Amino acid sequence: MIVILFGPPGVGKGTQAQKLKDDKNLCHLSTGDMLRAAVAAGTELGKQAKSLMDAGDLVPDELVISIIKERIIEPDCAGGFILDGFPRTVAQAEGLDKMLKAVDKQLDFVFALEVDEEEIIDRRAGRMVGAKSGRVYHAVHNPPKVAGKCDETGEDLIQRDDDKAEVMRHRLKVYQEQTAPVAAWYEARGKLTRVDGMGSVEEVYGRLSAAMTN
Ligand code: AMP
């Protein structure tokens, strides 16, 4: 099964991807997590990506397309994968289309999660992540078992720099300009399913599950 979780920053893609991964035993491919790992490891890719990410801008298409292309052919992705945060431009969607055709695979679902902007800002304010695990939590909506600690690794949870209000506003603008057209691209191909992203993590996951069985 190949699933794209699409939507603006803060809509809950990472949280829903985690649930979907655990539930369906799929590989969770977050380009944001991969880029942050490259930044932390100080690789050439990380050096190119860092300042763009800090500013809330997109990393060049060729870079993200090549990391996804290498990743989806690895053995752990053979049973299927969830793309979280990719594609973010029409050029990336076209790149994905080509790479899937080359390995004779097809997209099963493109879910566009939708929430209003007020809700996004509120969710981001309480958002915390485990830097090593990539797990996402929220102080109110999705708290860890022990306050401030990751359930999986026990590491201290942090707030990402690009979740701070200024950068967040810029990221929403970048989304409107460069990423929103991707939804129209999939819609024109009859691939897009819109899913209401308001409500609790469980409610949204229930809607996603229902959309997969319909
Ligand atoms: P995310 O964790 O998905 O919110 O991504 C964090 C940051 O990584 C974004 O603001 C971009 O700078 C970069 N990034 C992640 N995915 C992509 C992508 N598909 N294309 C370009 N830049 C990306």
Side-chain angles (χ1 to χ4, degrees):
M1 184 188 279
I2 303 176
V3 181
I4 293 179
L5 286 181
F6 181 83
V11 77
K13 300 185 294 292
T15 306
Q16 296 298 327
Q18 276 167 205
K19 290 191 75 67
L20 194 56
K21 168 197 166 187
D22 295 342
D23 193 14
K24 307 268 181 214
N25 210 7
L26 299 171
C27 203
H28 174 196
L29 304 182
S30 154
T31 40
D33 284 351
M34 293 176 198
L35 291 167
R36 278 183 290 279
V39 171
T43 63
E44 197 46 49
L45 167 68
K47 283 180 197 144
Q48 291 182 53
K50 187 176 186 319
S51 56
L52 292 163
M53 293 174 76
D54 286 346
D57 285 315
L58 296 186
V59 168
D61 290 331
E62 316 80 73
L63 294 183
V64 281
I65 288 173
S66 74
I67 57 176
I68 286 293
K69 198 170 179 177
E70 284 165 22
R71 192 65 187 84
I72 62 170
I73 53 170
E74 284 181 27
D76 62 326
C77 290
F81 49 89
I82 307 156
L83 293 166
D84 159 12
F86 179 91
R88 250 176 162 100
T89 63
V90 169
Q92 291 177 23
E94 288 167 349
L96 175 66
D97 208 42
K98 271 198 208 125
M99 66 179 99
L100 290 178
K101 279 198 181 115
V103 292
D104 207 18
K105 290 196 168 155
Q106 278 199 13
L107 279 174
D108 293 277
F109 301 104
V110 182
F111 292 123
L113 289 172
E114 300 182 317
V115 302
D116 61 44
E117 209 160 290
E118 295 258 305
E119 174 91 3
I120 288 181
I121 302 212
D122 166 65
R123 285 182 184 186
R124 280 283 148 157
R127 188 177 192 262
M128 302 168 299
V129 296
K132 289 203 194 84
S133 66
R135 291 244 156 198
V136 184
Y137 301 88
H138 188 281
V140 180
H141 306 302
N142 184 25
K145 293 192 181 99
V146 177
K149 304 278 180 197
C150 178
D151 294 349
E152 193 177 297
T153 59
E155 68 191 304
D156 285 339
L157 298 175
I158 54 163
Q159 188 184 31
R160 270 169 43 185
D161 284 344
D162 62 355
D163 279 347
K164 294 181 179 149
E166 280 284 304
V167 182
M168 199 53 211
R169 263 190 289 276
H170 182 65
R171 295 180 73 203
L172 286 168
K173 185 165 163 267
V174 168
Y175 172 81
Q176 285 309 334
E177 289 171 2
Q178 299 184 56
T179 307
V182 176
W185 194 88
Y186 282 116
E187 195 153 45
R189 285 156 183 78
K191 285 275 183 197
L192 195 80
T193 307
R194 295 178 191 278
V195 175
D196 180 4
M198 299 291 282
S200 70
V201 172
E202 294 304 330
E203 282 165 343
V204 177
Y205 190 67
R207 289 180 204 125
L208 278 178
S209 307
M212 280 187 281
T213 48
N214 281 341

